[in-house]
Amino acid sequence: MLEGTIGIQIDKSIYKMRLDMGCLKNMKYIFEKHTVEEIIEGAFDGDKDLVYQFLIQAILRCNDDIDIDMLTNQITSIDLNLAKTYVCYLISISFPKNQQKEESELARFRRLKSSLNREDWNFSDMEYMWHTILKRTNDFNCILPLSYFSQIESHKKFNNINNGDENTEIVNGTEYF
């Protein structure tokens, strides 16, 4: 089972689900007028549409052959507080934790969002960074935000990049000769 994948039982069906970059991109597409931060915050606040759609999209990331109408009916039959608990747990295992202090999942997400230093997540830029700057070959849509942000932090650390210069790549000029 892939890292960050959990199971959920609805009625007699058990589904795997995962909050990866593909799930977040789908959520952003569905709720296009919201930023990723607003989508996450709305889920933490218990917004019914966001919570249920998070579960649907997370399940779709792990289950190819599924009747979406049936899944939607099953998901919307779950108690909202239970559904919210699943979504909050998914978020907690999909984003990096602050090693220096205890913080809530929402506070941790806000810190990560502010470290990107932009209005909203630009998935095209993030995917470019993943493949071109970080030279990662695995599918960007299948990685957890945890993996992305951890790799970005490592890149900054090993290239002595401070947060003000996070979009600067350090290149050794002799490697091209």
Side-chain angles (χ1 to χ4, degrees):
M1 191 177 323
L2 288 172
E3 176 187 22
T5 303
I6 64 171
I8 181 173
Q9 182 171 353
I10 306 168
D11 297 326
K12 295 181 181 182
S13 302
I14 297 177
Y15 299 102
K16 293 179 188 173
M17 62 181 179
R18 192 164 195 267
L19 197 164
D20 56 16
M21 289 299 203
C23 178
L24 288 172
K25 283 170 73 173
N26 291 342
M27 289 295 292
K28 177 64 179 148
Y29 178 77
I30 293 166
F31 298 98
E32 63 185 330
K33 297 204 183 298
H34 297 296
T35 64
V36 172
E37 179 181 20
E38 290 168 343
I39 291 169
I40 299 278
E41 286 178 357
F44 275 106
D45 291 340
D47 179 300
K48 183 174 79 168
D49 294 333
L50 290 169
V51 169
Y52 289 140
Q53 195 58 238
F54 249 121
L55 289 179
I56 291 167
Q57 293 305 316
I59 289 171
L60 289 174
R61 295 299 298 157
C62 295
N63 302 276
D64 295 330
D65 299 327
I66 198 162
D67 180 342
I68 295 175
D69 292 332
M70 181 195 70
L71 177 65
T72 302
N73 288 334
Q74 285 183 316
I75 294 295
T76 55
S77 71
I78 300 173
D79 174 69
L80 181 60
N81 285 327
L82 179 60
K84 178 184 165 188
T85 301
Y86 275 113
V87 171
C88 291
Y89 181 70
L90 269 175
I91 293 168
S92 76
I93 64 171
S94 300
F95 284 87
K97 295 187 180 346
N98 186 347
Q99 301 300 325
Q100 285 118 19
K101 63 178 181 175
E102 288 294 317
E103 63 185 339
S104 73
E105 304 304 332
L106 182 56
R108 187 172 84 217
F109 176 76
R110 285 183 176 146
R111 178 180 47 78
L112 289 169
K113 192 267 180 189
S114 68
S115 75
L116 287 174
N117 201 19
R118 51 176 74 106
E119 281 298 308
D120 194 14
W121 291 23
N122 183 325
F123 288 102
S124 295
D125 288 353
M126 294 169 80
E127 187 169 5
Y128 174 84
M129 177 73 108
W130 183 253
H131 292 297
T132 307
I133 307 299
L134 300 175
K135 303 197 184 333
R136 302 298 301 202
T137 57
N138 43 342
D139 184 3
F140 175 77
N141 291 322
C142 294
I143 63 167
L144 296 177
L146 170 70
S147 299
Y148 179 80
F149 288 110
S150 297
Q151 288 292 308
I152 293 295
E153 288 304 313
S154 294
H155 176 74
K156 288 179 185 179
K157 175 182 168 185
F158 291 112
N159 288 289
N160 292 322
I161 300 172
N162 63 28
N163 282 339
D165 297 331
E166 69 182 36
N167 293 322
T168 304
E169 179 182 9
I170 306 298
V171 178
N172 178 352
T174 60
E175 71 188 47
Y176 296 105
F177 293 109

